[in-house]
Amino acid sequence: MDSRDTICAVATGLGRTGIGIVRVSGKDAIKICDQVFEGKKKISEMPTYTAAFGNIVDVSADGKKEIIDETVALVMKGPHSYTTEDTVEFDCHGGPFLLGKVVDLLIRSGVRAAEPGEFTKRAYLGGRIDMTEAEAVMDIINAENDMALKSSLSQLRGGLKEKIEEIREKIIYNTAYIESALDDPENYSLDGFPERLDKELDGTLSEIENLLSTSEDGRLIKEGISTAIIGRPNAGKSSVLNMLLGEERAIVTNIEGTTRDTLEEYANLNGVTLRLIDTAGIRNTDDIVEKIGVDKAKENIESADLILFIVDGAVPLNDNDREIIKKIKENDKNVITLINKTDLDSVMDKEELRSLISFKEDNKILEISAKEGTGKDELSHLIRDMFFSGDIDYNSEIYITSKRHRQALYDAKNSLLKVKESIALSMSEDFFTTDLMAAYESLGLIIGVTLEDDLADKIFESFCMGK
Ligand code: GDP
């Protein structure tokens, strides 16, 4: 731990905020912070988890003092801190220029500017959290909605870690048993072992399957359901968009992995997040192509998980609507048709619409009035039923939300399937261990432990070899 240097960074947002926190962590954190802080107490004399008021002061070589800011210093001594190291946080006024000056002073005093995520990396290296928990911290920070937040919090509390450890425990037990039996056949028998192992693997595989099956829900929770609102001009797309965005208006985010300048809007519908595609296109109807509505619909249908097809209930269906339905039919997507403007007299032929849209059994039709804001709750229930299997309880359930975890689970599953294959082919037991260990290692990647860390320990710890 001592080999780690002392780092600092502004821990709060970089805008103009009421308070800005500069965080310092590492073996010299207290000593260096003492050099820049003048308060009633010296930081080195403060008990852990206490705060003191004072100034951040830049003392030049010729002894001249410049007060940079008033501050409250908070001291958290290792190992009982986030990073497990000695940590000092300065609560400063929240201006980017000022905070930059504080960081600059600290750097001149001997700390290093932290890299992104370095505080959390130290928490991991210090053994305070495992890899799933570290990733959960990032997810919590990035959470766009309540569900994503709750599932990340559950991961942070170690839910996923415990599950993975449980599965690994079983795998390592069997590996160790094989090793022991090969080593010491007098005391450990392999009679009937392959059959037992085969059965046990079925159980383990189904646990992995269960985790994998949450990953689609996990993705939708984390990223939101990508949703295209389509329909002919004047059907009410823009009004529906506004209804969906409601009070919690337009969170505009730059999503990683999409075209750099793509702006997305999110709607939060009773906890379900919709990531709305091409909201600019819906608002801006000056475009000739958009006025027809069909070409735009085609493009957006392709990139959506969910299509909200808006039909104007106050006018008859026209070829434009029929053309759009054709486009929908060409893609196998979840579709909810919203008959809009139910506050006006109904003119549209609902039977015709129903027969046009019923090419897929799951396609649902709902009547709404974007103007009066009716139908929003029914819509959110329909979406939940369509996308999430069963009841969702984010406090207790584990959801796989990371691609990295998904990949590791797939790899583990494949390795275990290979073991089953070897059993079926009556191969000798030492063939099993290679694939068992590969699965063990893949799962270890999820929680960030390497094979070397614990294979030997586990084998010799959990088995009293008696020699
Ligand atoms: P878009 O072209 O599909 O985006 O349609 P807009 O949302 O711009 O709506 C077209 C027109 O229909 C506007 O004048 C809206 O005020 C009106 N409109 C939209 N939804 C409703 C509704 O539920 N009821 C009524 N009476 N008018 C609506």
Side-chain angles (χ1 to χ4, degrees), residues 229-243 281-285 290-291 310 312 314 339-345 368-374:
I229 301 176
I230 61 170
R232 73 171 200 233
N234 270 330
K237 297 181 291 299
S238 173
S239 310
V240 168
L241 173 69
N242 284 330
M243 174 174 94
I282 295 171
R283 292 215 174 89
N284 175 14
T285 48
E290 216 287 311
K291 279 206 184 304
I310 319 292
D312 187 338
I339 301 176
N340 189 28
K341 310 195 189 180
T342 51
D343 55 296
L344 302 177
D345 285 343
I368 64 160
S369 163
K371 188 179 170 194
E372 297 188 338
T374 54

Side-chain angles (χ1 to χ4, degrees), residues 403-421:
K403 284 199 184 105
R404 197 179 72 76
H405 296 171
R406 193 152 63 221
Q407 186 59 50
L409 285 165
Y410 270 120
D411 292 345
K413 175 180 141 183
N414 287 333
S415 300
L416 294 182
L417 286 173
K418 278 193 200 150
V419 181
K420 276 181 70 75
E421 222 175 279

Side-chain angles (χ1 to χ4, degrees), residues 16 63 103 111 153 184 217 219 222 224 273 296 324 382 444:
R16 288 166 210 284
V103 167
V111 311
L153 282 169
D184 183 7
D217 281 2
R219 182 180 73 84
K222 190 171 167 182
T273 299
K296 203 86 215 171
I324 293 175
L382 271 186

Side-chain angles (χ1 to χ4, degrees), residues 28-74:
D28 296 327
I30 289 176
K31 192 175 84 192
I32 294 173
C33 288
D34 249 344
Q35 292 168 28
V36 305
F37 178 77
E38 273 187 7
K40 279 201 180 132
K41 274 188 186 162
K42 282 174 77 73
I43 287 178
S44 50
E45 289 162 5
M46 288 165 62
T48 187
Y49 281 98
T50 58
F53 178 74
N55 289 322
I56 293 191
V57 187
D58 187 358
V59 185
S60 63
D62 55 11
K64 250 198 242 146
K65 273 188 195 173
E66 182 197 355
I67 294 179
I68 296 188
D69 196 13
E70 284 185 342
T71 190
V72 172
L74 176 62

